[in-house]
């Protein structure tokens, strides 16, 4: 479980997060949704420790992450998998080398054990046999699968995903969504997904948090999203669906 309590984050005196408190449930896909500039990316980066908050607490289990020393934070980060927008694979490394990267950095396992883990992860995301390929040789969907394999290489307790469907067609996006959900359930991870994709919300949104102007404006399940009387959320859902219809034409 991950919990944030009364988070504040500002840039140049302007608050991007304003007293945000939330609990992210273990074994569930927790989606953070909101318009561009709403603060959802800042919230995810703060949870990951990529940004320091001005005030508030970030808890991983019973440890307050943002008050730990460097060694303590490193111990938590070893339990954390990150899936970045655009996959963020290293272009100069092969698929095998990309997935092995965190194992090389964070473990002292033998080469054979690391390779076994790489192959297990590639097989689990259904891209086995791509070890020698470079990212430029992969489709967008395959890149995301390899990025997921890298994110789970350390068998993490926590999986943080920034716009995992960015740049993908809707059908491939749904496949990636379902893969993330399957892995979340299989490994009982606390998964947090930053997204503006309503398909993702309706497909895997077991716990949905809507950020509006830096505040937690609403939270509930994917079923409740469609039946809420929250005006800001309704406007967001309507605008998102309308934009997709126009784009589809």
């Amino acid at each position: 479980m991950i919990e944030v309590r009364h988070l504040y984050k500002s840039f140049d005196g302007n608050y991007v997060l304003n007293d945000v408190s939330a609990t992210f449930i273990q074994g569930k896909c927790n989606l953070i949704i909101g318009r561009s500039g709403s603060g959802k990316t800042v919230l995810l980066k703060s949870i990951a420790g990529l940004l320091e908050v001005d005030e508030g607490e970030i808890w991983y289990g019973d440890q307050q992450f943002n008050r730990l020393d460097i060694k303590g934070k490193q111990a938590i980060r070893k339990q954390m998998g990150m899936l970045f927008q655009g996959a963020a694979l290293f272009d100069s490394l092969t698929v095998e080398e990309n997935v092995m990267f965190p194992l090389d950095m964070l473990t002292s396992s033998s080469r054979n054990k690391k390779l076994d883990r790489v192959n297990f992860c590639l097989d689990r995301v259904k891209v086995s046999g791509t070890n020698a390929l470079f990212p430029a040789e992969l489709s967008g969907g395959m890149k995301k699968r390899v990025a997921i394999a890298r994110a789970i290489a350390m068998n993490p307790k926590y999986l943080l995903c920034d716009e995992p469907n960015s740049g993908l067609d809707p059908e491939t996006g749904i496949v990636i969504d379902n893969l993330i959900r399957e892995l979340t359930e299989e490994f009982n991870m606390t998964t947090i997904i930053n997204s503006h994709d309503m398909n993702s919300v309706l497909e895997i949104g077991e716990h949905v948090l809507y950020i509006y102007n830096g505040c937690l404006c609403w939270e509930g399940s994917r079923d409740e999203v469609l039946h809420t009387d929250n005006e800001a959320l309704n406007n967001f859902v309507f605008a998102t669906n309308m934009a997709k219809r126009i784009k589809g034409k």
Side-chain angles (χ1 to χ4, degrees):
M1 183 183 73
I2 298 174
E3 184 179 1
V4 299
R5 303 174 185 172
H6 307 293
L7 292 192
Y8 291 85
K9 177 63 180 177
S10 62
F11 296 97
D12 299 323
N14 298 312
Y15 277 99
V16 180
L17 297 179
N18 192 351
D19 196 18
V20 174
S21 297
T23 299
F24 301 92
I25 305 167
Q26 183 176 348
K28 303 291 185 183
C29 289
N30 302 268
L31 268 68
I32 304 172
I33 63 173
R35 299 176 186 276
S36 297
S38 62
K40 63 184 188 296
T41 299
V42 172
L43 177 56
L44 187 71
K45 288 183 176 180
S46 297
I47 292 170
L50 300 176
L51 291 173
E52 292 287 339
V53 295
D54 299 340
E55 299 179 45
E57 303 173 2
I58 301 168
W59 290 82
Y60 281 76
D62 60 358
Q63 293 184 287
Q64 188 179 346
F65 178 67
N66 61 319
R67 289 293 180 266
L68 295 174
D69 59 18
I70 293 175
K71 186 176 180 180
K73 287 182 177 179
Q74 286 176 341
I76 295 291
R77 288 195 174 105
K78 286 183 179 181
Q79 304 174 58
M80 189 189 304
M82 290 288 300
L83 179 58
F84 297 97
Q85 185 175 356
L89 299 176
F90 298 108
D91 292 335
S92 61
L93 301 182
T94 64
V95 165
E96 181 178 298
E97 291 167 337
N98 265 283
V99 179
M100 195 177 288
F101 185 81
L103 299 172
D104 287 337
M105 290 287 290
L106 300 171
T107 77
S108 57
S109 299
S110 69
R111 166 76 182 179
N112 286 339
K113 283 188 176 180
K114 288 187 285 189
L115 186 56
D116 285 344
R117 181 62 185 173
V118 168
N119 287 329
F120 169 83
C121 293
L122 291 176
D123 181 65
R124 183 59 191 83
V125 301
K126 296 181 172 56
V127 287
S128 58
T130 62
N131 299 54
L133 297 180
F134 287 89
E137 300 175 272
L138 305 176
S139 68
M142 290 179 71
K143 287 179 183 178
K144 288 295 176 73
R145 288 176 183 270
V146 172
I148 294 171
R150 183 177 63 186
I152 65 170
M154 291 287 293
N155 195 22
K157 289 184 178 180
Y158 314 102
L159 180 61
L160 309 182
C161 309
D162 186 20
E163 301 283 1
N165 291 340
S166 176
L168 301 180
D169 63 82
E171 184 177 355
T172 304
I174 290 172
V175 171
I176 295 300
D177 280 339
N178 287 329
L179 177 58
I180 292 172
R181 177 176 59 186
E182 289 170 8
L183 293 169
T184 297
E185 294 173 355
E186 183 177 336
F187 299 116
N188 197 30
M189 296 183 292
T190 302
T191 296
I192 304 177
I193 303 168
N194 178 18
S195 181
H196 63 267
D197 188 343
M198 284 307 300
N199 284 338
S200 296
V201 173
L202 298 178
E203 192 73 25
I204 62 170
E206 297 170 285
H207 182 217
V208 182
L209 300 96
Y210 175 57
I211 302 295
Y212 180 73
N213 289 343
C215 300
L216 177 58
C217 186
W218 181 92
E219 64 180 307
S221 70
R222 59 188 169 208
D223 296 326
E224 292 169 327
V225 166
L226 299 178
H227 301 97
T228 180
D229 58 0
N230 185 291
E231 183 178 358
L233 178 55
N234 279 328
N235 289 339
F236 171 76
V237 171
F238 175 78
T240 302
N241 288 338
M242 181 62 71
K244 285 185 176 180
R245 291 193 190 102
I246 292 172
K247 186 176 181 180
K249 293 178 180 180

